[in-house]
Amino acid sequence: LESWRNLSYADLATEVIGKFVKDDEVPRDVLAGIVKKSCGAFRSEDVTPLIKVEGHYILELFHGPTFAFKDVALQMLGNFFEYFLSTGSNDGRLAVLGATSGDTGSAAIYGLRGKKGVDCIILYPNGRVSEIQERQMTTVPDDNIHCVSVEGTFDDCQDIVKASFANQEFRDRVKLGAVNSINWCRVLAQTTYYFWSYFRVTDAEKDVKEVNFSVPTGNFGDILAGYYSKRMGLPVGDLIVATNENDILHRFFTQGEYHREDIQATISPSMDICVSSN
């Protein structure tokens, strides 16, 4: 682990992802190129810089094209899709179907816009995403981007996606692919900033042996990447689930209950989720 401490973000991410990607799947030089290209879309050289505010370290995950933390994973995912399709995988075609409460959709669109062989269809709940995120999604002019407003909630959109993937005949016929965190590549890409932030905290705090993470969580994908990082051997202490009024995860971890309640509209619509899929 210590041999990774002084690597750039792109080189560190290549090492982490490379633990799960064999050379016969993606040659190492190609993998490094995909990761470097993806990191190049960020406004910060550190990709996800760490700052200290009143004694707490804050990881800035808003330096990507859409200012969402999901840019880290979805820039990489789009470039991985493009590479695999260029090799003839999936007959060179992919129909990406995703559901969004706001941030996944715009980040997916900016990761997939203009990609050869890819059609991107994003479902979002009408009136339940922020205005800026709706405009990010619906004003992209690329021919391969398609946004669909659904009357209902994010959970309704997600149910459509799940049903589509459960229908094998439909899935195979349209060559369906995923951008939500049911896609392992996306969660794997998100583990990279847990490793990065661990190194930056322990650079500054020499006596710290484990790092705790408090993560705003709706669908449980982001903090799931933290859990996987811990299982991979990263010295992570507590993983704290931060939620809003739609608190299925709080109820699950404190009371052992996992059931749907009526959704509440909040000031954090990307976290307005009744059932956390991960």
Side-chain angles (χ1 to χ4, degrees), residues 120-185:
C120 176
I121 304 96
I122 297 296
L123 312 179
Y124 68 94
N126 185 35
R128 292 181 179 269
V129 300
S130 70
E131 182 179 0
I132 189 170
Q133 287 174 327
E134 183 170 17
R135 291 188 179 188
Q136 283 179 331
M137 291 188 288
T138 58
T139 58
V140 173
D142 298 72
D143 290 339
N144 70 323
I145 300 300
H146 317 280
C147 296
V148 181
S149 175
V150 175
E151 291 298 334
T153 68
F154 167 78
D155 295 277
D156 296 318
C157 298
Q158 188 162 246
D159 286 344
I160 295 171
V161 173
K162 290 178 180 177
S164 299
F165 278 93
N167 185 330
Q168 184 174 350
E169 186 279 328
F170 175 77
R171 184 182 69 215
D172 294 344
R173 174 162 51 85
V174 303
K175 303 187 184 304
L176 210 56
V179 288
N180 288 93
S181 42
I182 56 175
N183 186 313
W184 163 240
C185 181

Side-chain angles (χ1 to χ4, degrees), residues 38-47 49 61-68 71:
S38 303
C39 292
F42 287 74
R43 291 176 294 276
S44 171
E45 185 177 350
D46 285 344
V47 182
L61 294 170
F62 52 77
H63 292 276
T66 71
F67 298 84
D71 283 324

Side-chain angles (χ1 to χ4, degrees), residues 33-42 71-72 75-77 79:
I34 288 173
V35 173
K36 185 175 182 179
K37 178 181 178 181
S38 303
C39 292
F42 287 74
D71 283 324
V72 176
Q75 284 294 312
M76 292 189 195
L77 188 61
N79 288 323

Side-chain angles (χ1 to χ4, degrees), residues 85 88-95 116-119 174-176:
L85 295 178
S89 179
N90 219 43
D91 295 327
R93 295 293 306 173
L94 187 66
K116 185 178 181 181
V118 178
D119 277 301
V174 303
K175 303 187 184 304
L176 210 56

